[in-house]
Amino acid sequence: MGKVVEISPTTRHEGRSKLVLQVDDEGIITVGNWISVTPVRGLEKAVLGKPMEQVPKLLSRVCGICPVAHALAAVEAIETSIGVEIPADAHTLRVILHCANRLNNHALSNIFTLPDLYIPGTDRKINLFSPEEPMRSIARRIQRIREIAQGITEIAGGEAIHPTNTRIGGMYYNITSRAKQKLTDLAKEAVDIVKTQMDFMIAVLRNFQRRDWTEIGGRQIPIPRNLGYHSEGYLATDSLYGTSSRTSVQSWDPDHLREIRPWNFYMGEVTIDLEDSTYPIGGTTAAGTVVHPKREATNAIPLYNGRPVEVGPRARMALYQGFNEKGTIGQQVARQMEYMTDVHEILNRLDTLNTSGKVLTDPIPPGDGKTLAWATTEPARGTNVHFVRVREGKVADYSMIVPTTWNFPVCSKALSGAPWQLAEVIIRGYDPCVSCATHMIVLDPDKNVVAQNLIR
Amino acid sequence: MAAPLGQYKMVLFARTTDKEILRGAQNGGIVTALLSYALDTGIIDGAVVAAPSRSKPWRGKFDPWRSEPIVAMTRDQLLSARKTGYNISPNVMMIKEATRSYGLDRVGIVGVPCQIQGVRKAQLYPIGMRGVPDKIALVIGIYCMEVFPYQSIVQIVEDHGGVKMESVEKIEIGKGNFTVVTERGRTIQIPLNETRDLEQPGCHVCLDYAATLADISTGSAGSPAGWSTVFIRTKIGDEVWKRAMQAGLFETKPIGQVEPGLGAVEKLAVEKITRNKKTLEDRDFIGTKGLRNPYITT
Ligand code: SF4
């Protein structure tokens, strides 16, 4: 009989989550549970009854890492619900924003991932905070990419974090030709830096893949060849930006989506009986602690065609570009490859942007509340779906399935077969952003989940 | 009372040598000339200025009595914004936008003292102003006694003055009067004590006259007709002014030489500050929380 170990909280990602792992005598994971324990924010409920203009601004606050993704998915979904088409130049600005935000997020993910990796040819891990070379230049390069990405977001979107320029019906402002020129300069500067960064990342990832062991907590942990493999499917709704229920040919079918409760997916009450005080940082949870994953989880479990699906860079590359490498490293490599797509797409879109074009539709209908509309975006971490119904200018229903929500169950499955010490390396492959994956869940007095899902 | 004219390195009379600017200028054309020079030489790459309203036309043109902020990126745009409007133009509103969709890196801004105070506050505590503070390159202040909301101007001109807004050729505030000159040459003077209640209420608790927080502040007070009084206050102001002087942009007169001079500026400043302090004390007396005086130096 195996043992149970808990890593809580997991580190180097956004939000708060934990891992409850059943392991065999060799310390290999047999059942992995990765759950969100970020307190519920209830934004999907908070927006009910609010004027539709406010809602994208509120939902952008789901997360400070990918606010652009939520602001865009929200405006697109609401526009679909009320049946409004936006001018071409407004769409162009949105795509630029979207790509800049992805650029920023991929660079951020590099910061989280690099401390797991080694300088090729050595047994030294990469510490980005070290003043020594090459660490200092790597850190500078990553920060420059983020600066450029945020600079672009700031100009095209009004703010570097929560965009203010997006609105129902298009954008508030088009940018001036001078601003366009500045954006082009920034993106052109990024081309070289990003290429170097991509090559560098792929090199150190491949180097990790070739290693037999990695050091964790002072011990050499063997790296399995199939690190992070899973046999579930992929979901991506577009190769670049996103789609909505307005489009005639649809890349996915929300009718095949079912959201189940964590209650039906995670393990029940268990007692921790494996403890390792050397595990960074500060050791694992003390033996004897009782945990209850299915009750503690604050994330929902979306299934597509009845199974968990992976979303994110690898899913996009697999479905649209024939990329077929499995596992954590494959996933990380796909992420780096998206770097180039993002910069080039910014440049292409800038080329087509007419700075004196109209960016706002008129008039903007209030919505009849008949259809439940949806829109997706494809931000850094994968498919982000927002469902909405707008009636007389007010939001009547709202639900979101965000990237990391999709990834929780599939990643939990992908943990099996790896030494438990590598579980965090696997979850970092998904570049988790846990806060936005946290859902409103209603409990009855007996602590049973009674929340009604909008989509079933 | 803290020095009513604030800190400054130098004060003088000046007017621009640029004939085109001078022709349309209210006084010495200082603001337009400085900004246009700063634009030409790359000290700034655009400036937030008050310009005649584009959204509401007047006599089929832009409305000069209703100002709106614009981000001027060419000399022509600056020229279109000459002359002071007497209604407030929310310039600070545009400063962030100038660094966003306008793509500027070095922004100039013109404003009345309360706006300059806002700009400086934004630089110190950039809440909601991410990335803005270090992009503010030149801050020019204009003296200010009070302003009128646009609706008040309409009321003064149409009700007190008895003329249509469309007939107004010129509005001047000074020497105790609100003066309207019509298209047909009629001059109507309304004493300012009659229009007090129509002023923007905030102006009654305002304790800065000479834009003491600007890099350079200027206005007509104290100077001979066609000239302006100019205070050079900060290091940035000093550098820009010196370069502009070297480029032969201004003729100047030392302040001592001509009447009425600095005394007149000080008199106005003291008058405004004393009067408004009184309002503050009155408010305190009736229990409205008195405003903190940001200019107090002890
Ligand atoms: S009097 Fe003061 S508050 Fe009023 S506009 Fe002038 S500077 Fe601003």
Side-chain angles (χ1 to χ4, degrees), chain B residues 88 112-115 144-147 200 202-203 206 208 272:
Chain B
I88 195 104
V112 286
C114 59
Q115 295 176 321
C144 177
M145 250 346 220
E146 72 278 305
V147 298
Q200 178 174 264
C203 300
C206 169
D208 189 1
K272 169 174 174 179

Tab-separated table of all heavy atoms in Angstrom, chain B residues 88 112-115 144-147 200 202-203 206 208 272, ligand 1:
chain	number	residue	atom	x	y	z
B	88	ILE	N	-12.791	76.408	-17.897
B	88	ILE	CA	-11.756	75.422	-17.600
B	88	ILE	C	-11.720	74.349	-18.678
B	88	ILE	O	-12.734	73.913	-19.173
B	88	ILE	CB	-11.981	74.820	-16.203
B	88	ILE	CG1	-10.744	74.090	-15.709
B	88	ILE	CG2	-13.185	73.916	-16.177
B	88	ILE	CD1	-9.979	74.846	-14.687
B	112	VAL	N	-3.623	75.813	-15.585
B	112	VAL	CA	-3.757	76.788	-14.504
B	112	VAL	C	-3.213	76.139	-13.230
B	112	VAL	O	-2.996	74.925	-13.201
B	112	VAL	CB	-5.229	77.227	-14.357
B	112	VAL	CG1	-5.613	78.154	-15.489
B	112	VAL	CG2	-6.150	76.037	-14.283
B	113	PRO	N	-2.984	76.922	-12.191
B	113	PRO	CA	-2.294	76.394	-11.003
B	113	PRO	C	-2.865	75.099	-10.448
B	113	PRO	O	-2.101	74.193	-10.098
B	113	PRO	CB	-2.435	77.540	-10.003
B	113	PRO	CG	-2.486	78.757	-10.852
B	113	PRO	CD	-3.209	78.381	-12.095
B	114	CYS	N	-4.187	74.992	-10.367
B	114	CYS	CA	-4.737	73.766	-9.769
B	114	CYS	C	-4.394	72.564	-10.631
B	114	CYS	O	-4.197	71.458	-10.125
B	114	CYS	CB	-6.241	73.886	-9.589
B	114	CYS	SG	-7.144	74.182	-11.116
B	115	GLN	N	-4.325	72.768	-11.943
B	115	GLN	CA	-3.986	71.652	-12.828
B	115	GLN	C	-2.517	71.271	-12.666
B	115	GLN	O	-2.171	70.091	-12.685
B	115	GLN	CB	-4.300	72.031	-14.271
B	115	GLN	CG	-5.789	72.227	-14.483
B	115	GLN	CD	-6.129	72.698	-15.870
B	115	GLN	OE1	-5.424	73.524	-16.450
B	115	GLN	NE2	-7.222	72.201	-16.404
B	144	CYS	N	-3.783	82.506	-12.604
B	144	CYS	CA	-5.232	82.312	-12.626
B	144	CYS	C	-5.873	82.902	-11.386
B	144	CYS	O	-5.472	82.627	-10.270
B	144	CYS	CB	-5.529	80.823	-12.709
B	144	CYS	SG	-7.264	80.454	-12.659
B	145	MET	N	-6.860	83.745	-11.602
B	145	MET	CA	-7.648	84.320	-10.510
B	145	MET	C	-8.848	83.430	-10.240
B	145	MET	O	-9.194	83.127	-9.119
B	145	MET	CB	-8.162	85.683	-10.948
B	145	MET	CG	-7.585	86.929	-10.306
B	145	MET	SD	-6.615	86.790	-8.843
B	145	MET	CE	-7.199	88.173	-7.932
B	146	GLU	N	-9.529	83.041	-11.309
B	146	GLU	CA	-10.710	82.189	-11.223
B	146	GLU	C	-11.092	81.808	-12.640
B	146	GLU	O	-10.623	82.420	-13.584
B	146	GLU	CB	-11.888	82.916	-10.562
B	146	GLU	CG	-12.549	84.005	-11.426
B	146	GLU	CD	-11.829	85.335	-11.392
B	146	GLU	OE1	-11.641	85.842	-10.288
B	146	GLU	OE2	-11.429	85.847	-12.450
B	147	VAL	N	-11.936	80.810	-12.771
B	147	VAL	CA	-12.471	80.499	-14.092
B	147	VAL	C	-13.978	80.350	-13.989
B	147	VAL	O	-14.531	80.255	-12.902
B	147	VAL	CB	-11.882	79.202	-14.691
B	147	VAL	CG1	-10.403	79.295	-14.900
B	147	VAL	CG2	-12.265	78.020	-13.838
B	200	GLN	N	-16.379	79.083	-10.979
B	200	GLN	CA	-16.263	77.693	-10.566
B	200	GLN	C	-16.057	77.677	-9.041
B	200	GLN	O	-15.136	78.324	-8.544
B	200	GLN	CB	-15.064	77.106	-11.281
B	200	GLN	CG	-14.790	75.685	-10.926
B	200	GLN	CD	-13.675	75.129	-11.780
B	200	GLN	OE1	-13.930	74.497	-12.782
B	200	GLN	NE2	-12.449	75.382	-11.403
B	202	GLY	N	-14.774	75.754	-6.871
B	202	GLY	CA	-13.461	75.353	-6.363
B	202	GLY	C	-12.472	76.513	-6.337
B	202	GLY	O	-11.550	76.552	-5.514
B	203	CYS	N	-12.667	77.461	-7.220
B	203	CYS	CA	-11.743	78.589	-7.305
B	203	CYS	C	-11.783	79.439	-6.050
B	203	CYS	O	-10.875	80.208	-5.785
B	203	CYS	CB	-12.071	79.435	-8.523
B	203	CYS	SG	-11.942	78.496	-10.038
B	206	CYS	N	-8.998	78.258	-3.710
B	206	CYS	CA	-7.728	77.989	-4.386
B	206	CYS	C	-6.668	78.958	-3.906
B	206	CYS	O	-6.904	80.159	-3.833
B	206	CYS	CB	-7.965	78.124	-5.882
B	206	CYS	SG	-6.476	78.124	-6.841
B	208	ASP	N	-3.380	79.344	-5.028
B	208	ASP	CA	-2.214	79.562	-5.879
B	208	ASP	C	-2.631	80.479	-7.018
B	208	ASP	O	-3.644	80.240	-7.678
B	208	ASP	CB	-1.724	78.205	-6.417
B	208	ASP	CG	-0.383	78.322	-7.128
B	208	ASP	OD1	0.167	79.440	-7.191
B	208	ASP	OD2	0.106	77.277	-7.621
B	272	LYS	N	-5.900	87.289	-4.115
B	272	LYS	CA	-6.596	86.005	-4.304
B	272	LYS	C	-6.442	85.108	-3.077
B	272	LYS	O	-7.416	84.569	-2.559
B	272	LYS	CB	-6.045	85.287	-5.542
B	272	LYS	CG	-6.505	83.834	-5.662
B	272	LYS	CD	-6.067	83.179	-6.955
B	272	LYS	CE	-6.426	81.698	-6.956
B	272	LYS	NZ	-6.051	81.025	-8.188
C	1	SF4	S1	-8.567	79.776	-9.485
C	1	SF4	FE1	-7.461	77.983	-8.796
C	1	SF4	S2	-8.977	76.384	-8.808
C	1	SF4	FE2	-9.773	78.016	-10.082
C	1	SF4	S3	-9.076	77.470	-12.115
C	1	SF4	FE3	-7.625	78.877	-11.273
C	1	SF4	S4	-6.074	77.596	-10.443
C	1	SF4	FE4	-7.848	76.308	-10.748
